[in-house]
Amino acid sequence: MSRGSGGGYDRHITIFSPEGRLFQVEYAFKAVKAAGITSIGVRGKDSVCVVTQKKVPDKLLDESSVSHLFPVTKYLGLLATGMTADSRSLVTQARNEAAEFRFQYGYEMPADILAKWIADKSQVYTQHAYMRPLGVVAMVLGMDEERGPLLYKCDPAGHFYGHKATSAGMKEQEAINFLEKKMKENPAFTYDETVQTAISALQSVLQEDFKATEIEVGVVRADNPIFRSLETEEIEEHLTAISERD
Amino acid sequence: MESDHVMMMRTTASFRTSANSFYKKSKATSFVSLPSSLLDPYIGGFFEVSLKVQMGDSQYSFSLTTFSPSGKLVQIEHALTAVGSGQTSLGIKASNGVVIATEKKLPSILVDEASVQKIQNLTPNIGVVYSGMGPDFRVLVRKSRKQAEQYLRLYKEPIPVTQLVRETATVMQEFTQSGGVRPFGVSLLVAGYDDKGPQLYQVDPSGSYFSWKASAMGKNVSNAKTFLEKRYTEDMELDDAIHTAILTLKEGFEGEISSKNIEIGKIGADKVFRVLTPAEIDDYLAEVE
């Protein structure tokens, strides 16, 4: 019954490996990449925009049910990259939590508090053997009354940070390199610039030009803090603006 | 196989006097050993999770941290390795206060550094910094804050630093012995000022804690400690200590040190722990040059 140095279980449950790593958490990150989707989020001066690929694997599928962009409350959005079933579970719990927050405290749950809650929950799965970490990277976006536009990213390890721009999924690192160059001088993007930066980042990293039906775009902005998914026509306009600009 | 399982549960069972533990004196004894701190209903959402824990991890009602043949608890050693690969942090106790500091290296320039605060208050007069896994640190901060508040409510006076450190260390020890959990992958430096004066404690993943005059943890620990041993004097004042802390961080720092990639917290005779603003850090950096 001696477990020695984990007895080989350090790959199956979240206990430490001899190098002090948690293999299950690292594998969860790999699961996010294996989903084959890349997502991008950009925070502008008074708006936040998130973009993700919309891959419909079968023409017979109803595309409206294939979505990774979820409203958590009227004002908070969540973009889940990774395993679909885990995303749905996370979103359901997040919606419940946000509703209870509103009831308990009398004001809308801010984006950073929701991000912290998601991250703390993810941490529990990294410390308790009975549940595996979720294979989801969640980007939370919302307009904060005091601090303006907020974009937070939460990962399976339980980390969460506020971001000026970020990415998740298969081409995460390439996208972050692209965005670092764009955001280096701390530009203050307008709403249109924010959306177009996000979309063109995705296009550049995946090296393909999209049709409006192949991507999903979610925004919150100061003049309309309600989280919403852009319609196909609006995405068309932005795509046209990008191609004319180049 | 099954009898082995039962044997293991008997040998590692943690007898808890709280209402959380129960056992049946029947052929198939089943102990549910959970850290009692887990079942604190401190957040509505989390309480749901911990109820599931009672049902869900009955398969894990044995400790994952067990003795190796040589008598070591290897999971704790691995946790210390995780701490040792974390970002450097340090603390110095001066004659009239305590300073704690850490590197704040973020994964990308796209991260909004104002959204990250590694040094946290546990009470108005106690602060804490860590090396190791950030998410584990958040859990400990939350538990410690609650314990401090419960003490205040019961005794109507602020919790002494030693007591809070001891309770936090107890939590960390519980996670090295309870069922279905792994140890915390953080070491903490707790800085406080109470009636006994300025104090600095280091708590390790095993739950052991010591009081230090000056200490360091994380990647650059050996260089930092050597530097501190040379520079430390018993009659140091708080401002000197802050300068020494900055110089120690500089020793092993990769890249250019600035107010954006370090964090400093201090507490003086005013007994108020606070994190320095980037502007104040810039001032100290300029003085050190």
Side-chain angles (χ1 to χ4, degrees), chain A residues 120 123 126 129 158 162 164 180, chain B residues 108 110 115 136 138 142 180 182:
Chain A
D120 285 345
Q123 190 281 338
T126 73
K164 301 167 197 164
E180 279 184 358
Chain B
S108 159
L110 295 172
S115 77
D136 288 9
R138 286 203 310 271
R142 178 173 253 147
R182 61 161 175 82

Side-chain angles (χ1 to χ4, degrees), chain B residues 4-223:
Chain B
D4 271 354
H5 194 49
V6 169
M7 269 300 284
M8 175 134 199
M9 286 195 287
R10 286 218 192 94
T11 49
T12 60
S14 38
F15 289 98
R16 297 194 188 277
T17 51
S18 72
N20 303 336
S21 70
F22 57 89
Y23 60 97
K24 294 170 259 179
K25 279 208 166 138
S26 61
K27 258 209 300 193
T29 36
S30 52
F31 293 87
V32 178
S33 59
L34 295 164
S36 54
S37 37
L38 237 200
L39 286 156
D40 276 342
Y42 52 76
I43 324 169
F46 188 51
F47 188 49
E48 260 75 67
V49 173
S50 46
L51 278 184
K52 278 188 229 150
V53 163
Q54 270 182 303
M55 321 298 154
D57 77 337
S58 52
Q59 289 176 289
Y60 284 102
S61 47
F62 54 88
S63 178
L64 302 175
T65 307
T66 53
F67 287 107
S68 73
S70 54
K72 291 199 282 192
L73 289 168
V74 270
Q75 274 295 299
I76 297 179
E77 314 247 325
H78 300 338
L80 284 163
T81 314
V83 169
S85 43
Q87 293 180 9
T88 312
S89 62
L90 57 98
I92 304 177
K93 184 169 70 174
S95 57
N96 60 341
V98 192
V99 60
I100 49 179
T102 180
E103 283 181 6
K104 190 161 87 166
K105 289 263 181 67
L106 296 167
S108 159
I109 57 161
L110 295 172
V111 174
D112 188 352
E113 71 278 340
S115 77
V116 179
Q117 199 182 46
K118 289 179 70 173
I119 301 184
Q120 296 279 343
N121 277 64
L122 295 180
T123 71
N125 68 325
I126 304 176
V128 64
V129 74
Y130 74 100
S131 275
M133 301 166 71
D136 288 9
F137 174 66
R138 286 203 310 271
V139 172
L140 286 170
V141 165
R142 178 173 253 147
K143 287 189 203 278
S144 305
R145 282 174 174 165
K146 176 137 198 197
Q147 283 164 334
E149 274 303 305
Q150 286 172 333
Y151 184 102
L152 178 62
R153 188 176 56 152
L154 183 55
Y155 297 107
K156 295 281 186 274
E157 62 172 52
I159 188 169
V161 183
T162 43
Q163 305 262 33
L164 185 56
V165 168
R166 187 186 317 139
E167 290 191 15
T168 309
T170 307
V171 169
M172 292 172 82
Q173 189 282 336
E174 280 176 2
F175 275 71
T176 67
Q177 201 177 12
S178 301
V181 291
R182 61 161 175 82
F184 285 96
V186 287
S187 280
L188 304 175
L189 274 172
V190 181
Y193 201 123
D194 61 16
D195 300 326
K196 299 199 190 68
Q199 289 163 80
L200 177 68
Y201 285 91
Q202 180 174 336
V203 195
D204 284 334
S206 57
S208 62
Y209 62 94
F210 295 102
S211 175
W212 289 82
K213 300 173 193 170
S215 183
M217 332 180 289
K219 262 194 275 237
N220 202 34
V221 61
S222 41
N223 284 347

Side-chain angles (χ1 to χ4, degrees), chain A residues 96-182:
Chain A
N96 190 50
E97 185 59 27
E100 278 187 19
F101 185 100
R102 171 66 184 79
F103 176 71
Q104 257 189 329
Y105 300 107
Y107 72 101
E108 291 292 333
M109 192 173 201
D112 54 336
I113 309 281
L114 179 65
K116 184 162 201 268
W117 182 84
I118 294 174
D120 285 345
K121 207 151 205 286
S122 308
Q123 190 281 338
V124 173
Y125 301 146
T126 73
Q127 197 168 23
H128 294 259
Y130 73 109
M131 292 273 268
R132 60 164 176 81
L134 292 176
V136 183
V137 166
M139 280 192 223
V140 181
L141 60 156
M143 292 297 301
D144 191 86
E145 298 168 340
E146 295 164 5
R147 290 154 60 197
L150 291 179
L151 172 66
Y152 278 81
K153 185 170 82 168
C154 317
D155 62 24
H159 288 116
F160 79 106
Y161 294 119
H163 287 265
K164 301 167 197 164
T166 188
S167 162
M170 204 166 61
K171 300 263 173 183
E172 174 178 343
Q173 197 46 56
E174 292 93 331
I176 289 189
N177 295 342
F178 180 94
L179 290 166
E180 279 184 358
K181 282 189 225 129
K182 285 262 169 157

Side-chain angles (χ1 to χ4, degrees), chain A residues 211-214 229-237 239:
Chain A
K211 295 206 277 283
T213 48
E214 290 172 352
S229 222
L230 293 187
E231 302 291 329
T232 323
E233 300 83 43
E234 296 172 284
I235 303 181
E236 261 317 329
E237 282 175 24
L239 284 168

